[in-house]
Amino acid sequence: MAGKIKFQTPRGVKDILPKEQKYWWWLEKNFYNVFEAAGFERIILPTFESTDLFKRSMGEFTDVVSKEMYTFKDKGGNSITLRPEGTAGVARAYIQHGMQVLPKPIKLFYWAPMFRYDRPQAGRFREFWQFGLEVLGDDTPLSDALLIQALCKYYHKIGLQDVVVKINSLGTDKSRSKMVGALTKFLTGRKKDLCADCKIRLKKNPLRVLDCKLNKCQSIIEEASVILIDNLDEASKKRFTKVLEYLDEMQVCYELDPTLVRGLDYYTHTLFEVVIKGKEEMAIGGGGRYDNLVKQLGGADTACIGYAGGVERTIDALKLQQVNIPEDSKADIFVVQLGDKAKQKAIKVIDDLNGLDLRVATAIGKGTIQGQLKEANRLKVPFVLIIGDQEVHDKNVILRDMHDRSQETILDRNIVKMVSKKIEEKNISK
Ligand code: HAM
């Protein structure tokens, strides 16, 4: 006889249970509010794309492409990859749908799960959610600053404190190659002190050494920062200074970080990460300019900048800072009924109220008033209508304001009129 099989989620993936939903809803709702007002439009990308798209965009020797992609052959023999991020898909969609002919800039956002075969630990999953923003077709330093400013506004709106933007510039392609040349020379001189992975990175893509988190490599990376700054060409320096000037004007809290290179190859010029300062610094998102990516994928020359925030990490930060999440009411009114006759009357009242396009809740199956009020509290309804046998006899109902606990009696014939008036007044005073 077969034993009992106990299924569990695979390592690194999770269920997002009802008790977590208030955080998810809070982030998502504010995300749409802030970024739709900033002119962004939503794009929904496919969950999987051809493997080549990610290899070409993010770079073959990045950790994401070389170690972390969920790649498989489909039944037609095509190599498919579950998206590890959204930028490559956005660039592909921009080209595929001829968006270059639309008025620029094109501002897109997404809110979607991503997949990386990462080492699971706190804030690191194999399926995780990102909210992403991509601005295509604007090369001005102001567009960098405006995106960063909008992000800070978002993080402020959701209640996060101690949010700091770490920022750096890789400059143009030319200054990037000069930088890589000088870095290779420096790192080759220190090769024996590097970790085994960095020895390989040095050979394949020296910039990736700067992503190493091991203590062994940290002091070498710090020394390397001087080389990076020295190799930024004048035009790139000027551009970067302009971005910083705008950020100063906008009073954005930022910190220069010359060792910030980020783990993906498509970046040029401005790079940034959003961190929460605290006992331990926590990165909740990152982004930067990718002026060459669209061209690299076969499209027209299109300067772009974007950002992706980790939803789980942002929620961790909200919890750590004990941010009070206001919960919306899930219904406008809750009808409590006590007794058989009351139940019958309640069904009729609910029917009448539904005609008003209100969200009417009830718990017909629950007998006690305590049980029903508990459910009303859980739904955070502003009003409760109470109907007992006495109210059936007197042809009225009791309307309770759940906020100030005041009660009034309403005649049956006035229920619809009074309830809609009360709810309208409550909505206006919000
Ligand atoms: P990324 O730095 O690879 O950038 O990821 C952005 C954010 O996603 C990270 O800062 C982190 O919050 C979250 N994240 C990444 N991996 C994991 C994981 N395994 N578990 C949980 N959260 C994770 C990008 O993806 C770029 N596409 C950002 C971008 C958009 N650049 C330009 N446009």
Side-chain angles (χ1 to χ4, degrees), residues 120-314:
Q121 52 190 286
R124 200 171 282 279
F125 303 94
R126 291 183 173 167
E127 181 186 24
F128 60 97
W129 289 68
Q130 275 188 350
F131 52 84
L133 299 146
E134 313 289 351
V135 181
L136 302 105
D138 190 345
D139 65 352
T140 61
L142 182 60
S143 68
D144 305 23
L146 284 174
L147 176 66
I148 295 171
Q149 183 199 34
L151 282 164
C152 291
K153 190 174 161 195
Y154 173 63
Y155 286 122
H156 179 73
K157 187 109 192 266
I158 59 171
L160 277 181
Q161 289 181 349
D162 307 320
V163 175
V164 173
V165 179
K166 291 195 153 190
I167 191 164
N168 191 22
S169 174
L170 283 180
T172 55
D173 259 4
K174 224 163 137 196
S175 77
R176 190 183 154 125
S177 337
K178 224 172 123 201
M179 212 180 258
V180 172
L183 187 68
T184 310
K185 203 165 150 207
F186 168 77
L187 292 175
T188 309
R190 304 293 301 272
K191 192 173 169 185
K192 63 174 184 355
D193 302 321
L194 292 172
C195 73
D197 269 355
C198 281
K199 283 185 181 129
I200 300 169
R201 289 179 183 131
L202 171 58
K203 219 162 107 194
K204 294 185 166 167
N205 187 346
L207 268 186
R208 299 281 70 88
V209 171
L210 304 184
D211 301 327
C212 184
K213 298 282 177 280
L214 295 185
N215 281 343
K216 192 174 160 79
C217 300
Q218 280 305 307
S219 59
I220 303 174
I221 292 172
E222 252 165 58
E223 282 177 55
S225 66
V226 183
I227 298 172
L228 300 181
I229 299 170
D230 285 353
N231 283 284
L232 206 58
D233 62 47
E234 277 314 307
S236 301
K237 259 188 212 162
K238 221 167 132 193
R239 188 188 188 284
F240 189 43
T241 309
K242 201 78 209 150
V243 174
L244 300 181
E245 278 171 13
Y246 282 128
L247 291 178
D248 285 332
E249 267 170 44
M250 294 167 179
Q251 300 187 335
V252 166
C253 187
Y254 69 85
E255 258 177 26
L256 291 175
D257 181 353
T259 62
L260 182 74
V261 290
R262 310 224 343 101
L264 309 168
D265 278 357
Y266 50 57
Y267 291 119
T268 48
H269 289 293
T270 309
L271 288 169
F272 59 101
E273 253 173 26
V274 176
V275 300
I276 305 284
K277 289 280 179 182
K279 251 199 247 144
E280 265 184 47
E281 210 171 85
M282 174 155 82
I284 53 173
R289 201 153 256 296
Y290 49 99
D291 289 348
N292 302 323
L293 180 63
V294 173
K295 198 167 174 201
Q296 214 171 296
L297 296 177
D301 218 347
T302 311
C304 309
I305 185 160
Y307 175 83
V311 175
E312 289 86 347
R313 288 191 199 176
T314 309

Side-chain angles (χ1 to χ4, degrees), residues 62-74:
T62 56
D63 275 359
V64 178
V65 172
S66 64
K67 299 184 190 164
E68 298 170 0
M69 294 211 302
Y70 277 92
T71 297
F72 57 95
K73 282 255 158 75
D74 68 11

Side-chain angles (χ1 to χ4, degrees), residues 383 399 408 418-427:
F383 294 103
L399 180 70
E408 61 187 288
M418 285 302 287
V419 166
S420 58
K421 184 167 164 258
K422 287 277 177 186
I423 291 173
E424 200 175 318
E425 281 169 4
K426 191 71 124 193
N427 287 339

